[in-house]
Amino acid sequence: GLMSLLDARFICGMSPLYSEMAGRVRERIVFRRARRIIDWLAARGRERHRLFGDSACLLEPNLKEGRGGLRDYHALLWLSRVRFHLEAPRDLETHGHLSHAEYHELEQALAFVRKVRSGLHILVRRKYDRLHFAHQVELAERFGYREGTRRQAVERFLGALHGHMEVIRQTHRRFFEEAAPLRRRFGALRSPEPVPTAPGVAVRKAALAFTSMKAVLETPECLVWIFAESARLGLPIDPEARRLIREFRHRLDPDVVRRPAAVRALEEVLLRPVSGGHEVLGEMYATGILLQFVPEMKTVANRIEYDTYHVYPVDRHLLETVAAVALLNRPDEARAETWKSSADGELCRTLTAEIRDLRPLAWAALLHDAGKGAPDLPHPEAGEGIGRTVLARLGVPGEMIETVAFLVRSHRLLPHTATRRDIDNEETARRLSQEVGSALRLGMLYVLSVADLRATGPKAWNEWTAALLRNLFLKVRRLLSPGGAAVSGNVVRAVGEKTREVMALMSDSRDRADAERSEEHTSELQSRQSI
């Protein structure tokens, strides 16, 4: 239909007939129905993404129809022709909608995705857009990827693919956010624009912008404050402001990022990473601002774990975990609808209300898998070291550092115990209670575990895992609550007394020897319980 007419010049050439036809289309259809066309493009995009998923993150991406696929690029071209009257892809740069670096990055991303799609077509000998596991290893070999340090060739290949698809995804999202003011202008009367409280930040056409270039140069904290305002007000960041952020992110040097005002702004974003439907923390990461605070995240950028559990690359998984923690704390958000009536959602809301200060939990969510880029240590231990380094560099109080370090080091403790140990054994819960130490830390660890598993994928989080994790938490919680330790001690003592009664009735020496070993184990439990 209309999209074919917009592309007709590539078939007809620049003939007088085409020029006359294009002029009539623009005058009678495109200009008069711009709002309807943009709404249709946005609605079709949302439906397409719902059906095919986020290909920029999924481990079996749809190279054409998913979010971050080639169809997103086509959609932003159609939008640019309707909204900005552009004629060719190069006009995205020449008319200032993309900088030279952004346009070059987009071209590289498109070339890579097209090459992979063509390779997939050659491999399966027909049109095929879903990159299944069965094809990924062979394509990685054909494209010349080799084994690296603790990384398979296919993981390196998929990491490059997902990085390029993320460029297409982000560009598509920014263009449709930029078109939003047009839809509002043609719609109902707008409500008064909110007023930012951060110096150097203003609202222009329902988006956040800098008041001036001078404000950015004199007060580099503005580069962080604008994200905190985006989280607070639920507004997107203006495209021009986004370019300034990318251009001047180096102004956030180590001396600036450790200033209390800058750290507080980052923590505001961590506590509300998604606001008004906008991925504030994701935008902070895409523009490079988050890396100025946590450069250690570069080691896990686009890092793929080649299994059926991890849906996202490691860096995106960290952002999704932060969002999951915030979601568990804010049941009023639209994305939390499915959690309002679940036992886990109710338990997590109760725990977050008890925790009160969620900043350590948000930091732990951001850093819990940051150690996966370390070549020598298990990632929980490596992540603990990274967390201590990052937070000390930012001037975070020592007590909070210790809490975050514990959460990062122990973030696999509850899921590992729940799925691989006998949780009905009193000793399992008792040892876990001693390792955790307090009910407050246990609550934070449970919320982090739930968020981590939910952000990993559907095979990591299901009803069976949820029930095991919840039951284990409740058993350990009873031991850490007032009177819980006494109850546990009574159980152990009762087992010991019953063992001695049985021994008195035994006549067989072999049975008696087995019983004595059992009594020795019970005595050990009693001595540990008294510590």
Side-chain angles (χ1 to χ4, degrees), residues 86-118:
L86 304 186
E87 294 294 332
R90 192 76 193 188
D91 292 341
L92 294 171
E93 179 188 357
T94 56
H95 286 247
H97 299 287
L98 291 176
S99 67
H100 175 73
E102 290 171 336
Y103 183 76
H104 180 66
E105 188 179 34
L106 179 61
E107 278 192 320
Q108 286 184 320
L110 291 169
F112 190 92
V113 175
R114 286 165 176 160
K115 182 178 75 170
V116 174
R117 184 168 180 252
S118 298

Side-chain angles (χ1 to χ4, degrees), residues 18-92:
Y18 166 77
S19 298
E20 182 181 354
M21 179 189 68
R24 290 185 179 182
V25 168
R26 281 193 295 268
E27 179 183 351
R28 298 182 182 182
I29 300 178
V30 176
F31 180 74
R32 294 181 181 179
R33 303 181 183 180
R35 178 171 61 91
R36 291 176 58 186
I37 295 172
I38 293 174
D39 287 341
W40 178 82
L41 283 172
R44 286 293 298 271
R46 288 192 296 269
E47 179 64 15
R48 177 166 49 82
H49 294 159
R50 186 187 68 80
L51 292 174
F52 293 97
D54 193 344
S55 293
C57 298
L58 294 177
L59 295 185
E60 290 187 320
N62 188 296
L63 301 174
K64 184 176 182 181
E65 300 293 346
R67 188 189 296 269
L70 295 174
R71 187 64 77 196
D72 274 2
Y73 171 66
H74 302 153
L76 76 87
L77 285 183
W78 295 332
L79 174 66
S80 68
R81 291 173 183 174
V82 174
R83 175 72 173 88
F84 307 114
H85 311 297
L86 304 186
E87 294 294 332
R90 192 76 193 188
D91 292 341
L92 294 171

Side-chain angles (χ1 to χ4, degrees), residues 421-438:
R421 297 288 185 270
D422 180 9
I423 64 175
D424 291 326
N425 188 331
E426 183 72 18
E427 172 66 3
T428 300
R430 193 194 64 78
R431 288 191 176 185
L432 202 57
S433 68
Q434 287 185 338
E435 189 165 351
V436 175
S438 71

Side-chain angles (χ1 to χ4, degrees), residues 25 106 118 132 134 140 194 225 231 292 294 378 465 506 509 513 517:
V25 168
L106 179 61
S118 298
H132 288 286
W225 291 341
Q292 296 297 116
V294 192
T465 305
M506 286 182 179
S509 59
R517 284 194 296 270

Side-chain angles (χ1 to χ4, degrees), residues 103-410:
Y103 183 76
H104 180 66
E105 188 179 34
L106 179 61
E107 278 192 320
Q108 286 184 320
L110 291 169
F112 190 92
V113 175
R114 286 165 176 160
K115 182 178 75 170
V116 174
R117 184 168 180 252
S118 298
L120 181 61
H121 289 177
I122 294 171
L123 184 63
V124 301
R125 298 184 178 182
R126 64 186 176 93
K127 179 184 179 297
Y128 203 75
D129 295 326
R130 180 80 180 271
L131 185 58
H132 288 286
F133 280 112
H135 306 130
Q136 292 172 0
V137 174
E138 186 169 352
L139 279 178
E141 293 176 354
R142 289 192 178 193
F143 288 139
Y145 285 87
R146 298 292 179 263
E147 301 291 327
T149 305
R150 295 183 64 179
R151 296 187 71 184
Q152 304 177 47
V154 65
E155 291 177 337
R156 296 166 67 87
F157 163 62
L158 291 175
L161 174 62
H162 286 287
H164 287 301
M165 296 188 78
E166 180 68 13
V167 172
I168 300 174
R169 174 182 179 270
Q170 292 288 346
T171 307
H172 172 272
R173 181 183 59 80
R174 291 199 299 263
F175 264 75
F176 276 84
E177 284 183 355
E178 192 174 353
L182 176 71
R183 298 202 300 273
R184 283 193 288 270
R185 188 165 65 244
F186 281 99
L189 190 64
R190 290 181 297 173
S191 58
E193 291 182 336
V195 179
T197 58
V201 181
V203 176
R204 294 173 183 167
K205 296 182 179 179
L208 292 168
F210 296 112
T211 54
S212 65
M213 177 75 74
K214 182 179 179 182
V216 177
L217 295 175
E218 292 183 349
T219 313
E221 293 98 321
C222 289
L223 299 170
V224 190
W225 291 341
I226 194 170
F227 290 101
E229 291 293 341
S230 180
R232 186 176 68 86
L233 301 176
L235 293 177
I237 296 176
D238 179 78
E240 184 59 33
R242 192 181 297 113
R243 294 189 191 101
L244 290 175
I245 292 169
R246 291 172 66 96
E247 184 70 24
F248 291 99
R249 63 180 182 268
H250 66 276
R251 300 277 297 174
L252 288 174
D253 57 38
D255 291 332
V256 176
V257 297
R258 64 177 289 114
R259 293 175 184 172
V263 176
R264 282 197 303 270
L266 173 57
E267 290 176 337
E268 288 181 33
V269 176
L270 292 177
L271 294 175
R272 196 183 293 243
V274 179
S275 181
H278 306 292
E279 297 180 6
V280 184
L281 184 61
E283 186 69 29
M284 199 175 191
Y285 179 65
T287 55
I289 295 300
L290 184 57
L291 293 177
Q292 296 297 116
F293 287 88
V294 192
E296 289 83 356
M297 286 185 65
K298 293 177 183 178
T299 62
V300 295
N302 298 316
R303 189 180 185 91
I304 297 293
E305 294 182 275
Y306 195 62
D307 56 38
T308 59
Y309 287 94
H310 293 83
V311 174
Y312 300 106
V314 176
D315 55 346
R316 184 62 187 271
H317 167 71
L318 295 177
L319 304 184
E320 289 292 327
T321 306
V322 177
V325 169
L327 191 65
L328 296 174
N329 182 44
R330 298 179 183 275
D332 55 319
E333 300 240 355
R335 293 174 61 189
E337 282 295 328
T338 57
W339 273 81
K340 287 185 178 180
S341 58
S342 69
D344 304 286
E346 183 64 32
L347 179 56
C348 286
R349 289 195 294 275
T350 302
L351 292 174
T352 53
E354 292 178 359
I355 295 168
R356 295 183 182 178
D357 186 1
L358 297 177
R359 291 177 299 165
L361 192 54
W363 278 114
L366 180 67
L367 299 169
H368 75 278
D369 277 348
K372 287 189 173 180
D376 302 323
L377 291 174
H379 83 269
E381 287 81 356
E384 178 189 0
I386 291 173
R388 289 182 181 277
T389 301
V390 169
L391 297 181
R393 187 172 63 231
L394 298 178
V396 173
E399 184 178 354
M400 187 183 297
I401 292 178
E402 291 303 319
T403 301
V404 174
F406 162 77
L407 293 173
V408 173
R409 181 180 67 249
S410 308

